[in-house]
Amino acid sequence: MLFHRSGTLFEDMYWIDGTTGEVIAKALDEKKEEKIDYTASILKTIQDRCNLITMHTHPNSMPPSIADFNSCFKHNYVTCLVICHDGTVYQYISSQKVPPALQDIYVQDFLKTTHNERDAQIMALKKIKENYDINFQEVI
């Protein structure tokens, strides 16, 4: 996944059956930067499935976005991974929808003190986690 998209802002994604380990769907030819489009074929394949694990890339090496958390919640994924091009891996889960603009509001506030986008993103997610049923961690 990382080699395939190296040097671009395009993402790849896999949907994995958590019981068998089988890859049941994949998105490897996205046309929009920093976004995975759920095609009709992918939606049909994942509908009514439980125990799904997702894995997708973040070429800009940022932690999961609120869109990532909300997708996790909407599709009832068991767990999700973000694989970053700098080698960082984040595991995340969501049991509740989060307002999409909330992360941006917190990030802008934290950027005033940290001046580092990645740190501000992590601080924002920790703040959101205080009031919403989401969880994330860097996998070491």
Side-chain angles (χ1 to χ4, degrees):
M1 290 169 69
L2 296 178
F3 291 123
H4 180 237
R5 294 302 195 171
S6 183
T8 76
L9 291 177
F10 296 105
E11 299 180 3
D12 284 348
M13 186 162 178
Y14 288 91
W15 289 261
I16 302 162
D17 183 302
T19 303
T20 67
E22 175 189 3
V23 173
I24 64 161
K26 54 190 169 185
L28 303 175
D29 60 351
E30 296 305 290
K31 306 291 188 255
K32 296 178 187 170
E33 293 181 343
E34 299 179 348
K35 181 170 175 41
I36 298 291
D37 280 327
Y38 279 64
T39 64
S41 174
I42 289 170
L43 288 171
K44 182 178 179 182
T45 301
I46 68 171
Q47 93 180 25
D48 300 326
R49 292 240 189 185
C50 58
N51 207 27
L52 284 181
I53 299 168
T54 65
M55 179 185 312
H56 77 282
T57 58
H58 270 191
N60 57 10
S61 298
M62 291 293 168
S65 67
I66 292 305
D68 293 332
F69 283 98
N70 285 342
S71 179
C72 181
F73 170 68
K74 178 180 178 178
H75 299 289
N76 199 30
Y77 297 140
V78 172
T79 195
C80 305
L81 297 168
V82 169
I83 314 298
C84 299
H85 284 249
D86 69 357
T88 307
V89 177
Y90 295 97
Q91 182 272 330
Y92 64 99
I93 190 72
S94 179
S95 298
Q96 180 179 16
K97 185 175 180 180
V98 177
L102 195 54
Q103 186 175 22
D104 293 336
I105 292 167
Y106 285 136
V107 166
Q108 292 309 310
D109 191 46
F110 288 124
L111 277 173
K112 294 173 188 171
T113 56
T114 183
H115 306 292
N116 177 298
E117 178 75 22
R118 183 184 167 280
D119 290 346
Q121 293 277 348
I122 291 171
M123 292 165 72
L125 290 174
K126 287 179 179 178
K127 183 72 175 167
I128 293 167
K129 188 174 143 177
E130 292 174 8
N131 295 301
Y132 290 87
D133 194 7
I134 66 168
N135 204 355
F136 75 101
Q137 65 182 354
E138 184 177 334
V139 178
I140 299 174

